[in-house]
Amino acid sequence: KIMFEIRPDYKPFLLRDGTMIVRLDKALYGCIESARLLFNHIKTTLIGMGFKQNPYDQCVFNKGPLESQCTVVVYVDDLFISCRDAKIAKETLDALTGVYESVKVTEGLVHSYLGMTMDFSKAGEVKITMNGYVEDLLKKHPVTGTVTSPAASNLFERPETDARLSPVDSDEFHSVTQKLLYLAKRV
């Protein structure tokens, strides 16, 4: 109803049941296909800039010889650019800024990216931690007590009753499991 107050010229497209079918000219943030469309656009942009897609990880793009290689890691709309040569990194950033209207840049020796904190302050090495991720996880899902193993001695025994989790508890269980797997694969 509000749409027709704003755009009365849309009224002829209203169906009898009160719905309207529209065709989008471009992706909307949050739609299922939007992330794929954005990735394909970024991929085309990077390849046009001379980057090659990594054969082992489709979200990693590399350009240049190993000693001055520039690497761009893509995760939805977050990019992480790494390069030994600051001039090449700046050129890459400038080219991306020319294509995408809003680019937020974080420079320095310490960066947060996808729950990880990367510290480049010691020459020749990087220290990666996930303290913030772990703290947030523990705030949302407090842990009480300690055990030497989270598995009970009857781990592989089937219970006499088939007690299933409620849909809400099942979603919570799967969410926490996914978050712990994400953490386990990165530390």
Side-chain angles (χ1 to χ4, degrees):
K1 184 178 176 179
I2 293 173
M3 177 185 269
F4 301 117
E5 291 173 13
I6 298 169
R7 296 289 305 263
D9 54 316
Y10 286 176
K11 278 191 180 182
F13 303 105
L14 183 65
L15 301 176
R16 289 182 193 178
D17 65 357
T19 62
M20 182 185 343
I21 298 172
V22 297
R23 179 175 178 216
L24 299 173
D25 291 331
K26 64 180 185 175
L28 289 177
Y29 188 82
C31 290
I32 293 171
E33 194 63 22
S34 298
R36 170 55 78 190
L37 292 171
L38 177 59
F39 175 79
N40 286 339
H41 195 276
I42 292 171
K43 174 183 167 181
T44 301
T45 301
L46 289 170
I47 289 172
M49 293 167 53
F51 282 84
K52 292 189 179 351
Q53 196 170 19
N54 186 302
Y56 301 104
D57 189 335
Q58 300 294 299
C59 295
V60 176
F61 296 83
N62 301 302
K63 178 182 176 181
L66 192 57
E67 61 275 358
S68 62
Q69 177 175 283
C70 185
T71 300
V72 178
V73 179
V74 179
Y75 181 79
V76 188
D77 60 353
D78 289 329
L79 278 66
F80 187 86
I81 300 172
S82 172
C83 187
R84 288 183 183 173
D85 188 335
K87 181 182 172 197
I88 294 171
K90 176 83 169 102
E91 289 170 0
T92 301
L93 184 58
D94 289 345
L96 290 169
T97 304
V99 175
Y100 301 101
E101 48 189 69
S102 62
V103 175
K104 179 184 171 198
V105 178
T106 305
E107 295 180 283
L109 297 175
V110 180
H111 299 275
S112 291
Y113 186 68
L114 305 178
M116 296 174 276
T117 300
M118 294 173 239
D119 185 345
F120 296 91
S121 58
K122 190 170 181 182
E125 65 181 64
V126 60
K127 180 180 178 182
I128 302 174
T129 60
M130 295 186 74
N131 295 345
Y133 184 87
V134 171
E135 288 171 16
D136 288 345
L137 189 59
L138 289 172
K139 281 180 192 170
K140 291 178 187 167
H141 312 283
V143 175
T144 57
T146 60
V147 292
T148 55
S149 168
S153 60
N154 63 348
L155 176 65
F156 296 105
E157 295 174 15
R158 290 183 57 119
E160 291 181 25
T161 61
D162 190 19
R164 298 195 182 265
L165 294 174
S166 71
V168 170
D169 289 341
S170 178
D171 286 348
E172 180 75 8
F173 173 79
H174 287 102
S175 174
V176 172
T177 301
Q178 180 275 328
K179 290 174 185 176
L180 290 171
L181 286 171
Y182 179 81
L183 176 65
K185 290 177 135 186
R186 281 155 184 80
V187 291

